[in-house]
Every structure is written in structure tokens, then in C-alpha cells.
């Protein structure tokens, strides 16, 4: 007979106490994981808080690049993950694809020294390291505008990776010309201020103009709130655009009677606000359930198995980085933190 959620939760809490471990969970994790976590947050916010914790064992419920960020910021800590889940966007680029992209731009006559790379936090440590070696840095959806402004001041072509939507949205907001590497012509690339890598978030691609029109027709006066990983056409008609933390703050600041539809991950939207007299005033901007498959891989049993393995001195899914990657990825993050 399988253990009940209550039994699993009690054993997890006991092991967390015994091992003096910190359990952290991203906002997109399952409800039962979020309820159990010592800390919840957005990707970098959560990694920073975990890295600053006095506890030396971090149990990270999220996707791989987030656990890597903790290890980069605090290499002395042990970081284990119940599931070494990988963000689909982060998987779209690695250090080899990065090198090939730079080589393509060089082939079009753009010198490497004329390129300023920015990598979104949703990338693995090897990519962050490559970006740092070229003088670039990291951004999050919360600080992207500030980092973008700094990049413009460098007087170079901006190579934004891996999320083309965030890169395009930044360019549009600043009246800069952008294109997507792989689909743009040589002439378009040479004429662009911002060259975007052809990556995207599978969840945020689900939201469309038709979804916005549907909710505005059904509920006149409804607020439309979206994440900047959404397609520029959707971002362009939204009432509010922001990071996960910014979305939470904005939506929770609205009167409960104000209807709002949110274009981001289902688990987060589902927890944003209580119902009003038993009726929901908070909706998901999609006809299908926009649930991140990798964020939802982690279950209570996985957390327990991970803790048991660590207790037995046979850790599983431990985040380990080579010294060179660790060094340069930290430089990329530190540059961002200094500007933020």
C-alpha cells in the first residue's frame, strides 16, 4: 500500500529537521510541494534566498538551472534536487549552440567584439559562463529593462537568448529593431539592434490574442495580465506585463471584485486569490490548462526519496559544476546583481 500524502509529509519534515536542510520551491510547483516548502519564490529570488540561508543543505524543488544558480552563488553549499527536471527553454540552447550562433553572426560580418550577449536566467550554467566570457550578463523578467538599458549603452548589437519573446518585447518597448536568428535574413540581422535566439517557453506560447478577445467580450472591464515570455502580440494588448513576483503583487493588489485573467502557469494562477462569495474572479488566459510539465514532475515521494538517499550518504540529483563554469557563471550573475 502506498503512503498517504500526510504520512509522506510527516516523514519529509522529520528528515528536513534531522538533516538541517532547507526546502525551497518555485511558485510553479504542485500545491503540496509549495505548502511544505520553507521558502517559495521566483527563480533568481528563490536561488538568492537559498544561497544566503545559514543552512548548508538546500533541497531545491524546481528545474535544473535554478539549482545551478544556488550552487553558483554559494559553491560551499550542497544542493540536491528531488527531480533534476529541465526547463524546456533552457534545453533549447547549450554552450555548443551558443558558439554556433556567434559563428553565424561572425559569418555575416559582425565581429565578436561587436556583440553584447544577454542570457535570460532560464539557461544553464554553461551558457551563462559563455556569455560572461564575452563580457555579457544575465537578466530576469523582473530586471530585464534595466539590463537592456545597460546593454544599449555598450554600443554593440545585443544578442538576447534564449527567449525570443522577451527579447522582442524589450526591443518593441524601446523602439529598437529586432529579428530572430534562424528565420531572419542576413540583411535583417545586419539592420537589427537586437538579435534574438529562437527559444521560447512552451507554457507562455499557449496564450493568444483570441484568448484575450474571448475574455474581454465575456467580462467587460476585465484586467488582462501576462508574463513577458508571452508572444509580443499578446503583450501588446495586456493591461499589465510583469515577472511572476510582479504579477502576484499586481493581482493581489486589485479589489477581489475586479475580474482578472492571467497569462502564466496554471498552478500559480490557481493560488493567486480566493473566490468571491464562492465565485472565481481570477481566470487563466487559455482554453487548455497551461501547466509546466517539468515543474510538475516533482512529487512528495521524490522529495522523500531524495532526502533518504542523502541520509544514507548516497545523494541523488546533486548539483555539481566544474570550477571554470562555476567561476564564469558567477561573474555573469554578479554583473547583473550589481546593476540591479
Amino acid at each position: 500500500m502506498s503512503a498517504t500524502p500526510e504520512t509522506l509529509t510527516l516523514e519529509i519534515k522529520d528528515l528536513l529537521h534531522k538533516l538541517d536542510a532547507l526546502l525551497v520551491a518555485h511558485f510553479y510547483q504542485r500545491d503540496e510541494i509549495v505548502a511544505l516548502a520553507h521558502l517559495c519564490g521566483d527563480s533568481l529570488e528563490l536561488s538568492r534566498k537559498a544561497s544566503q540561508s545559514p543552512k548548508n543543505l538546500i533541497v531545491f524543488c524546481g528545474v535544473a538551472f535554478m539549482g545551478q544558480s544556488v550552487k553558483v552563488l554559494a559553491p560551499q553549499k550542497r544542493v540536491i534536487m528531488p527531480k533534476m527536471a529541465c526547463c524546456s527553454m533552457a534545453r533549447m540552447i547549450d554552450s555548443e549552440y551558443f558558439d554556433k550562433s556567434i559563428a553565424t553572426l561572425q559569418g555575416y560580418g559582425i565581429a565578436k567584439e561587436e556583440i553584447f550577449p544577454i542570457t535570460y536566467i532560464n539557461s544553464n550554467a554553461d551558457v551563462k559562463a559563455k556569455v560572461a566570457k564575452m563580457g555579457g550578463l544575465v537578466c530576469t523578467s523582473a530586471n530585464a529593462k534595466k539590463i537592456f538599458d545597460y546593454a544599449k549603452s555598450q554600443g554593440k548589437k545585443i544578442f538576447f537568448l534564449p527567449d525570443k519573446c522577451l527579447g522582442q518585447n524589450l526591443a518593441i518597448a524601446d523602439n529598437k529593431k529586432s529579428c530572430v536568428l534562424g528565420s531572419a535574413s542576413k540583411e535583417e540581422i545586419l539592420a537589427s539592434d537586437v538579435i534574438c535566439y529562437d527559444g521560447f517557453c512552451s507554457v507562455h506560447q499557449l496564450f493568444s490574442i483570441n484568448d484575450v478577445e474571448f475574455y474581454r467580450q465575456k467580462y467587460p472591464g476585465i484586467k488582462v495580465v501576462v508574463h513577458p515570455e508571452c508572444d509580443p502580440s499578446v503583450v501588446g494588448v495586456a493591461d499589465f506585463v510583469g515577472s511572476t513576483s510582479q504579477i502576484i503583487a499586481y493581482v493581489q493588489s486589485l479589489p477581489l471584485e475586479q475580474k482578472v485573467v492571467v497569462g502564466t502557469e496554471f498552478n500559480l494562477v490557481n493560488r493567486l486569490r480566493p473566490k468571491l462569495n464562492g465565485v472565481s474572479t481570477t481566470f487563466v488566459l487559455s482554453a487548455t490548462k497551461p501547466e509546466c510539465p517539468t515543474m510538475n514532475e516533482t512529487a512528495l515521494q521524490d522529495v522523500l526519496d531524495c532526502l533518504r538517499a542523502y541520509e544514507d550518504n548516497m545523494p541523488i540529483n546533486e548539483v555539481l559544476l566544474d570550477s571554470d563554469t562555476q567561476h564564469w557563471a558567477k561573474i555573469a550573475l554578479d554583473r547583473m546583481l550589481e546593476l540591479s
Side-chain angles (χ1 to χ4, degrees):
M1 181 183 295
S2 59
T4 65
E6 292 77 17
T7 301
L8 292 172
T9 297
L10 286 172
E11 190 169 350
I12 289 169
K13 286 182 176 179
D14 181 63
L15 278 171
L16 287 169
H17 177 73
K18 184 177 180 181
L19 297 171
D20 194 29
L22 182 76
L23 180 67
V24 298
H26 189 273
F27 284 130
Y28 293 174
Q29 292 284 298
R30 299 182 187 188
D31 289 347
E32 60 268 28
I33 301 295
V34 169
L36 188 59
H38 298 123
L39 289 176
C40 291
D42 211 342
S43 57
L44 183 64
E45 171 196 14
L46 192 57
S47 297
R48 286 185 71 184
K49 288 180 178 178
S51 70
Q52 293 164 358
S53 166
K55 296 185 183 297
N56 290 315
L57 176 61
I58 310 298
V59 185
F60 204 113
C61 298
V63 290
F65 78 82
M66 299 175 188
Q68 288 179 346
S69 292
V70 180
K71 192 67 177 176
V72 166
L73 293 170
Q76 76 281 5
K77 293 188 184 296
R78 301 284 296 274
V79 183
I80 55 176
M81 302 187 71
K83 280 283 188 179
M84 195 66 84
C86 189
C87 166
S88 60
M89 184 197 298
R91 287 193 67 180
M92 292 177 186
I93 189 165
D94 58 18
S95 58
E96 181 180 350
Y97 277 119
F98 178 83
D99 289 341
K100 286 181 178 178
S101 298
I102 297 300
T104 297
L105 296 179
Q106 289 178 299
Y108 290 156
I110 306 171
K112 192 172 183 179
E113 295 74 24
E114 296 172 354
I115 302 168
F116 189 88
I118 304 174
T119 185
Y120 191 28
I121 191 71
N122 294 43
S123 57
N124 289 322
D126 61 334
V127 174
K128 292 182 175 75
K130 284 290 178 76
V131 165
K133 288 178 180 180
M134 280 186 64
L137 72 172
V138 179
C139 80
T140 69
S141 51
N143 66 22
K145 176 64 169 64
K146 185 174 289 187
I147 301 303
F148 186 74
D149 287 343
Y150 173 77
K152 286 188 304 176
S153 73
Q154 303 305 297
K156 301 179 180 182
K157 282 192 181 292
I158 296 172
F159 179 38
F160 193 95
L161 57 136
D163 183 20
K164 64 181 177 183
C165 291
L166 180 55
Q168 289 173 312
N169 286 324
L170 286 166
I172 291 168
D174 210 67
N175 294 315
K176 297 296 181 183
K177 189 169 184 178
S178 68
C179 66
V180 178
L181 186 63
S183 59
S185 66
K186 175 183 176 181
E187 291 70 28
E188 288 172 322
I189 287 172
L190 293 175
S192 292
D193 304 298
V194 183
I195 302 162
C196 303
Y197 186 81
D198 194 12
F200 55 87
C201 171
S202 59
V203 172
H204 290 100
Q205 289 294 294
L206 294 173
F207 311 118
S208 70
I209 286 287
N210 289 338
D211 296 322
V212 175
E213 291 174 350
F214 170 82
Y215 275 100
R216 284 195 165 142
Q217 289 174 10
K218 187 171 183 179
Y219 302 113
I222 194 171
K223 296 287 188 183
V224 178
V225 176
V226 302
H227 194 281
E229 289 176 16
C230 292
D231 187 87
S233 63
V234 175
V235 168
V237 297
D239 296 299
F240 181 84
V241 182
S243 67
T244 303
S245 296
Q246 290 167 343
I247 286 174
I248 292 170
Y250 176 78
V251 173
Q252 292 182 347
S253 73
L254 297 173
L256 196 51
E257 59 269 19
Q258 170 64 60
K259 292 183 175 64
V260 60
V261 60
V262 186
T264 194
E265 211 272 347
F266 172 83
N267 283 330
L268 172 66
V269 179
N270 199 40
R271 290 192 296 263
L272 275 176
R273 298 196 298 178
K275 293 182 178 180
L276 177 63
N277 300 322
V279 179
S280 180
T281 57
T282 310
F283 308 95
V284 180
L285 186 67
S286 179
T288 58
K289 189 177 180 180
E291 192 173 57
C292 178
T294 50
M295 280 289 194
N296 280 270
E297 285 183 22
T298 306
L300 290 174
Q301 187 65 56
D302 299 313
V303 179
L304 181 57
D305 291 344
C306 187
L307 289 168
R308 284 173 172 170
Y310 189 87
E311 183 187 31
D312 291 340
N313 223 8
M314 299 177 64
I316 57 174
N317 298 335
E318 182 168 8
V319 177
L320 300 170
L321 298 172
D322 65 78
S323 59
D324 186 66
T325 299
Q326 155 74 37
H327 170 76
W328 285 102
K330 189 172 189 304
I331 288 175
L333 284 169
D334 285 345
R335 285 173 182 161
M336 176 193 69
L337 294 173
E338 287 170 10
L339 289 170
S340 299

